[in-house]
Amino acid sequence: MADYKAPLRDIRFVLNEVFEADKLWQSLPGLNGAIDAETAEAMLEEAGKITSQTIAPLNRSGDEEGAHWNDGVVTTPAGFKQAYTTYAEGGWVGLGGNPEFGGLGMPKTLGVQVEEMVYGANNSFALYPALTAGCCLALDAHGSEELKQAYLPNLYSGVWAGTMCLTEPHCGTDLGIIRTKAVPQDNGTYAVTGTKIFITGGEHDLTDNIIHLVLAKLPDAPAGPKGISLFLVPKVLVNADGSLGERNSVSCGSIEHKMGIKASATCVMNFDGAEGYLIGEVNKGLNAMFTMMNYERLSIGIQGIGCGEASYQTAVAYARERTQSRSPTGAIAPEQTADPIIVHPDVRRMLLTMKAMTEGSRAFSTYVGSQLDISKFADDPQIKKKGEDLVALLTPVAKAFFTDIGLESCIHGQQILGGHGYVREWGQEQLVRDARIGQIYEGTNGIQALDLMGRKTVANGGAFFKVFAEEVREFIAANQDKDLADFVQPLEKALTNLEELTALVIDRSKTNPNEIGAASVEYLHVFGYTVYGYMWTRMAKAALARLDQDGDGFYAAKLGTGRFFIKRLLPRIHSLSEAVRAGSESLFELDAAQF
């Protein structure tokens, strides 16, 4: 199998040449002076080294060994603890964290690049710091000053780790029916009791303490989601001087035996009157937890990009070396008994699909990252509001589309290797197994589609969508150059189609609420391909401007890949759109007994 190498050249292209991140950073008061192009380049280089040289070599061995559970104690695979210590000492856990409490305060546009590299190197490893970073985000946004002072510095430094504890055996998506209770105590703390399942990193040996963010209900809480509160529950209690005290009443009952991400400990966590501390307001816990969940949803989406990139690297290396049959146009390597399989049209179709979708995903993750930076650091209320609206609209698209496409790419990579893709030595079957979970956790992709279609589009009459559509329309109007016409014209048609679909579903849903769910998955995919059309048109514009300095053919390859997307992948929107237009009636012709 090919050794994972961080795709730094392509990351630089997207970050610096397409989105001109340095100009964005300098325009935002909260970032101006905190980061510049040179600092970002040094950080990317270092991230590339640690992911390629320290974390990636543990990927297969971690999958083979898996996490171990023994009487409540969880041990990660060999090498993980040492690699995690190296990663934490580099400051990577607190990369985007609040500098007031020891974070580095770096922008999300930089953070998404580092996240992709870690996921590309080793999915299981990546989840431990990803959950900690999300825990920090929620605590920083909603915790009291006392809690932030006590916990954030050690979380940002990676000395402690974090989790989020939502799901219970009887409820996943419908969190309003959770049973975990939090009983107020005389000293202002809460006794938290209940069982949570599927808790990533709920127990492990990487850190001395694990800080759980737990959803629970007070005894007199209102029914449903309006009665949920959020609590910080440490594995080990923290003394007033910051030292570790007694073990809290928190235990790991077991770990799951999974299809993939086997080195990531997925735990059943039992809270038996554990001491907890309220985060935010009583009965407002779900709002606070969504701060973390939205971060994790983008992060898990990026997992799909990392998997797709890793699979592509192995697939293209194999396709250049593996010889089978002759090219349809005649021998390409007559000195050999057969040609490399990269000459065959179907292999090229799969490789180009992987390349086009992974590079489109990378551009989109950077775009979403830029909107997160704008919504966080801009001081102009209108600019800030636009960023917030776009983040709300695009987060479910990013999570679902990245992971759907990531699995498709991994399957293509496996297929290119044929039988060698099915056996363990080449790593492709592991990537297929690891990528598959991305479509399920942090809100299944069907739930993401419902969120996009229902909450983010129909509920506000398409207001968020109009913000996005207006931006793309302005870009199209400003880029009528004939050299870009092969991209701009198909993009304009795709946007018009998406506008029509949006209006159609909004209108139909007024009389039939089933239309929202019936349209949602296909609508999200139409949205995703249209967004990638926008991303590829922006990338094509940047590449065209630099063709005269294209010594290694990078920009020509970028344009060729973009044309493949426009001609062969963007047309997928037509069949998907027809499915949306077909409506919900056929979904309800059968009674439950007829299935």
Side-chain angles (χ1 to χ4, degrees):
M1 67 181 284
D3 294 330
Y4 173 79
K5 292 181 176 62
L8 291 176
R9 179 67 183 89
D10 201 69
I11 285 172
R12 291 188 193 102
F13 170 72
V14 170
L15 193 63
N16 302 326
E17 299 169 41
V18 178
F19 291 101
E20 298 181 305
D22 190 46
K23 289 183 180 179
L24 171 67
W25 298 335
Q26 302 317 313
S27 72
L28 298 173
L31 283 174
N32 192 357
I35 179 73
D36 56 32
E38 284 155 7
T39 303
E41 174 60 25
M43 297 185 84
L44 289 172
E45 282 287 338
E46 191 58 35
K49 288 178 185 176
I50 193 171
T51 52
S52 300
Q53 298 172 15
T54 303
I55 299 173
L58 300 173
N59 189 40
R60 184 180 169 194
S61 62
D63 180 68
E64 297 279 2
E65 181 182 348
H68 306 274
W69 181 92
N70 182 22
D71 194 23
V73 176
V74 175
T75 307
T76 53
F80 266 55
K81 185 172 176 59
Q82 294 83 355
Y84 182 85
T85 299
T86 301
Y87 186 82
E89 288 175 348
W92 299 109
V93 178
L95 182 67
N98 187 342
E100 292 182 29
F101 303 100
L104 297 184
M106 292 296 102
K108 192 63 178 176
T109 35
L110 181 64
V112 295
Q113 318 304 332
V114 176
E115 285 182 78
E116 186 207 317
M117 288 187 249
V118 184
Y119 279 118
N122 190 324
N123 279 277
S124 290
F125 181 95
L127 291 169
Y128 293 105
L131 266 294
T132 301
C135 174
C136 290
L137 198 67
L139 179 57
D140 185 46
H142 303 284
S144 66
E145 190 68 19
E146 183 182 7
L147 285 177
K148 289 191 280 189
Q149 292 282 1
Y151 291 93
L152 280 177
N154 281 328
L155 285 165
Y156 284 144
S157 67
V159 173
W160 297 344
T163 75
M164 64 178 189
C165 301
L166 291 77
T167 305
E168 299 183 7
H170 65 287
C171 73
T173 301
D174 188 2
L175 290 169
I177 59 174
I178 62 171
R179 294 174 184 157
T180 299
K181 294 293 183 185
V183 179
Q185 305 296 294
D186 292 340
N187 63 357
T189 66
Y190 293 79
V192 178
T193 301
T195 296
K196 300 288 185 178
I197 66 170
F198 300 150
I199 308 307
T200 300
E203 178 61 34
H204 54 71
D205 61 348
L206 302 179
T207 60
D208 293 332
N209 204 0
I210 301 172
I211 311 306
H212 305 286
L213 297 193
V214 184
L215 291 182
K217 289 188 172 186
L218 272 65
D220 59 351
K226 292 182 179 179
I228 296 174
S229 299
L230 179 63
F231 300 88
L232 185 155
V233 183
K235 169 184 171 180
V236 181
L237 297 173
V238 179
N239 297 322
D241 63 358
S243 63
L244 294 181
E246 298 179 356
R247 175 71 185 254
N248 206 354
S249 299
V250 180
S251 62
C252 176
S254 63
I255 60 174
E256 304 296 344
H257 302 280
K258 310 185 296 291
M259 174 180 176
I261 55 167
K262 294 185 176 183
S264 169
T266 306
C267 303
V268 175
M269 298 302 299
N270 298 314
F271 299 87
D272 300 304
E275 185 171 308
Y277 317 99
L278 180 69
I279 294 178
E281 299 178 43
V282 169
N283 300 331
K284 302 285 187 182
L286 204 52
N287 293 335
M289 184 60 91
F290 266 110
T291 300
M292 182 178 185
M293 288 171 66
N294 284 331
Y295 170 89
E296 298 298 345
R297 283 173 176 173
L298 177 58
S299 180
I300 292 308
I302 293 170
Q303 179 182 346
I305 307 175
C307 288
E309 172 65 33
S311 184
Y312 175 74
Q313 290 186 17
T314 296
V316 74
Y318 184 88
R320 287 172 177 153
E321 296 175 4
R322 173 72 167 174
T323 56
Q324 291 287 285
S325 306
R326 290 297 186 187
S327 164
T329 58
I332 301 297
E335 74 283 0
Q336 300 184 72
T337 57
D339 289 328
I341 63 171
I342 200 167
V343 304
H344 299 301
D346 189 51
V347 173
R348 285 179 163 255
R349 174 190 65 83
M350 290 186 284
L351 284 172
L352 277 166
T353 298
M354 298 173 77
K355 182 173 170 61
M357 296 308 289
T358 299
E359 292 176 14
S361 297
R362 183 174 297 120
F364 186 28
S365 72
T366 306
Y367 176 74
V368 176
S370 72
Q371 299 306 319
L372 281 163
D373 287 337
I374 289 167
S375 65
K376 181 176 181 180
F377 295 110
D379 58 357
D380 184 314
Q382 287 186 315
I383 294 174
K384 193 179 187 76
K385 178 66 164 56
K386 179 187 175 185
E388 291 170 349
D389 290 350
L390 286 173
V391 168
L393 177 74
L394 298 176
T395 295
V397 183
K399 191 276 177 181
F401 202 61
F402 286 163
T403 53
D404 283 347
I405 293 304
L407 179 65
E408 180 188 342
S409 290
C410 290
I411 291 172
H412 282 317
Q414 185 180 41
Q415 192 74 13
I416 287 165
L417 270 67
H420 293 293
Y422 197 68
V423 297
R424 296 184 68 79
E425 292 95 302
W426 289 85
Q428 295 288 50
E429 63 86 31
Q430 181 188 341
L431 285 166
V432 171
R433 289 186 288 107
D434 284 354
R436 182 64 182 89
I437 185 59
Q439 297 170 302
I440 298 172
Y441 59 6
E442 299 306 332
T444 67
N445 286 0
I447 293 297
Q448 302 303 318
L450 278 172
D451 182 38
L452 171 68
M453 188 84 266
R455 294 177 183 169
K456 306 299 173 55
T457 304
V458 172
N460 59 32
F464 290 171
F465 174 76
K466 289 172 187 173
V467 174
F468 170 75
E470 285 172 4
E471 177 181 314
V472 181
R473 286 274 174 213
E474 288 173 7
F475 176 85
I476 290 169
N479 290 277
Q480 291 297 317
D481 189 303
K482 62 181 177 60
D483 291 336
L484 204 57
D486 288 348
F487 291 85
V488 169
Q489 291 174 7
L491 171 61
E492 186 169 20
K493 291 178 182 177
L495 180 62
T496 299
N497 173 72
L498 186 57
E499 288 171 327
E500 292 171 353
L501 280 188
T502 304
L504 177 69
V505 178
I506 290 173
D507 182 62
R508 285 179 173 177
S509 67
K510 293 174 183 176
T511 55
N512 183 359
N514 280 330
E515 291 293 325
I516 296 171
S520 59
V521 170
E522 287 86 357
Y523 177 84
L524 185 144
H525 275 242
V526 175
F527 204 131
Y529 284 110
T530 303
V531 170
Y532 280 35
Y534 179 36
M535 294 298 102
W536 268 111
T537 306
R538 292 184 66 160
M539 286 191 280
K541 179 182 178 180
L544 281 167
R546 293 164 176 82
L547 277 178
D548 60 348
Q549 49 189 282
D550 196 19
D552 60 356
F554 175 86
Y555 297 111
K558 192 64 65 177
L559 287 167
T561 306
R563 291 191 186 100
F564 174 85
F565 174 84
I566 294 294
K567 293 178 179 179
R568 295 291 300 257
L569 299 178
L570 184 58
R572 291 179 178 182
I573 65 173
H574 299 307
S575 61
L576 292 165
S577 298
E578 285 306 301
V580 173
R581 292 187 175 97
S584 63
E585 288 81 4
S586 62
L587 296 178
F588 293 91
E589 287 191 19
L590 303 187
D591 292 330
Q594 292 177 287
F595 277 87

